[in-house]
Amino acid sequence: MTRESSIIELAQWLKSPPGRYLLGWEQVQLDRHVSDLFGFHALQLGLPQLDGLRANRMPHRWVASDSLYMPDPYDLPPVDESISTLAPHAGMALHCDFDALPFPSQSLDLVVLPHALELARDAHDALREVERVLVPEGRVVITGFNPASLWGLRQRFGHLRRGMGLGGKLFLPRAGDFIGYWRLRDWLRLLGFEVERGRFGCWRPPFGSQRWLDRGAWMDDHGERWWPVLGALYCLVAVKRVRGMRLVGLARLQKAPANAPAVVAQPRMHSQADGHDNG
């Protein structure tokens, strides 16, 4: 299965009831996480169906895709009224490889990756490229499928049935490497990132119909409290740290040791001639 067909399959799956359910949760999370991030240049890699930068007010914003396939726009949930940093989205569309971004090193303040690593040719190379283009203290926001969830479990059973020759239809898109949350944290740590926030979501059972998804809505109300790591999706925010950089504060005065000799200024003895002119 080619990458182009994988991207098309994901775009079509997102139109299904479970796809719209997940897409809505991701859009809300991206709005919340990027609204208070400041800078000048922001970039979204992949999944143009989501408007991951609509709640961010950086003046220069781009949406990049490594595929020529342009899906129809989706109906996205409205922006939360509590977010007060909205600006008209004037982002530009780019076509480029995610492991060779057309930006100078340390030139971007924010990079958003909605499912971009799962469909990348090489997730490690794409993440290293993100680290290259981010400025020190720049942020990266990543969303992805959680393999350690009921949705991931159903997907593994589907692959197992196919491997045994029993056939059957997979619940989630076929292609893509679903990267676990803790595995992704390890990758980021090796590249010098520090994870600031992480959150799971979408705890409803993996039903295919809207009717049954609605019946499982009560699980979203209790999932974050009782089984948070079993959410079908995760959203992670990390900051790029640079070694050797530290905040400079006020210098502290060091107290002299108790046994240090004290220096006493001796008064100058003036001679009688010092107060008179010669001659």
Side-chain angles (χ1 to χ4, degrees):
M1 190 175 188
T2 64
R3 292 190 62 258
E4 191 77 10
S5 59
S6 301
I7 295 173
I8 295 175
E9 182 189 27
L10 176 61
Q12 294 174 346
W13 183 86
L14 289 173
K15 296 180 180 180
S16 66
R20 293 195 302 268
Y21 165 56
L22 300 188
L23 196 68
W25 183 86
E26 286 189 74
Q27 184 66 66
V28 171
Q29 297 306 310
L30 292 177
D31 289 344
R32 292 175 179 175
H33 290 311
V34 307
S35 63
D36 58 349
L37 300 181
F38 303 99
F40 297 96
H41 304 92
L43 172 68
Q44 175 181 330
L45 294 180
L47 205 65
Q49 299 93 318
L50 280 172
D51 194 351
L53 300 175
R54 71 178 184 178
N56 184 266
R57 60 180 182 181
M58 294 187 189
H60 306 289
R61 290 171 285 178
W62 297 270
V63 178
S65 175
D66 58 353
S67 170
L68 295 177
Y69 173 72
M70 295 300 296
D72 297 330
Y74 293 173
D75 293 331
L76 299 175
V79 182
D80 189 348
E81 295 181 357
S82 63
I83 299 176
S84 60
T85 58
L86 291 175
H89 186 24
M92 299 178 58
L94 300 175
H95 178 261
C96 62
D97 294 328
F98 292 170
D99 53 3
L101 298 176
F103 294 94
S105 298
Q106 301 185 5
S107 60
L108 301 180
D109 301 281
L110 169 64
V111 179
V112 177
L113 292 89
H115 299 282
L117 297 179
E118 296 169 344
L119 295 177
R121 291 182 298 185
D122 189 303
H124 293 88
D125 290 343
L127 204 55
R128 279 192 289 266
E129 187 69 356
V130 170
E131 189 276 335
R132 179 187 70 82
V133 299
L134 274 177
V135 300
E137 305 299 312
R139 263 69 174 181
V140 57
V141 183
I142 304 173
T143 64
F145 289 107
N146 178 21
S149 64
L150 294 178
W151 297 55
L153 185 62
R154 177 169 176 177
Q155 185 78 350
R156 284 197 296 271
F157 277 138
H159 281 296
L160 182 61
R161 286 177 58 87
R162 288 192 167 194
M164 297 173 61
L166 300 178
K169 185 179 180 180
L170 296 177
F171 183 70
L172 296 173
R174 288 174 293 170
D177 180 18
F178 298 161
I179 305 170
Y181 175 79
W182 299 106
R183 179 183 172 196
L184 180 58
R185 286 179 64 106
D186 291 339
W187 289 4
L188 291 169
R189 188 179 299 109
L190 290 175
L191 289 174
F193 285 93
E194 178 182 334
V195 177
E196 288 187 323
R197 286 173 282 181
R199 185 175 183 182
F200 295 87
C202 299
W203 291 276
R204 303 183 193 185
F207 295 135
S209 68
Q210 188 64 49
R211 177 184 177 186
W212 283 99
L213 282 172
D214 293 339
R215 287 188 176 185
W218 64 272
M219 297 187 69
D220 283 337
D221 299 331
H222 298 82
E224 189 168 6
R225 179 178 180 183
W226 297 108
W227 46 84
V229 296
L230 297 182
L233 293 176
Y234 61 80
C235 183
L236 182 149
V237 182
V239 57
K240 176 182 175 180
R241 302 297 190 193
V242 177
R243 294 182 179 180
M245 292 184 61
R246 63 180 62 183
L247 296 176
V248 178
L250 295 176
R252 295 184 178 179
L253 296 177
Q254 295 183 353
K255 185 180 295 185
N259 56 355
V263 178
V264 179
Q266 296 292 335
R268 181 182 177 186
M269 300 299 294
H270 295 277
S271 63
Q272 185 178 4
D274 291 338
H276 301 276
D277 294 335
N278 292 330

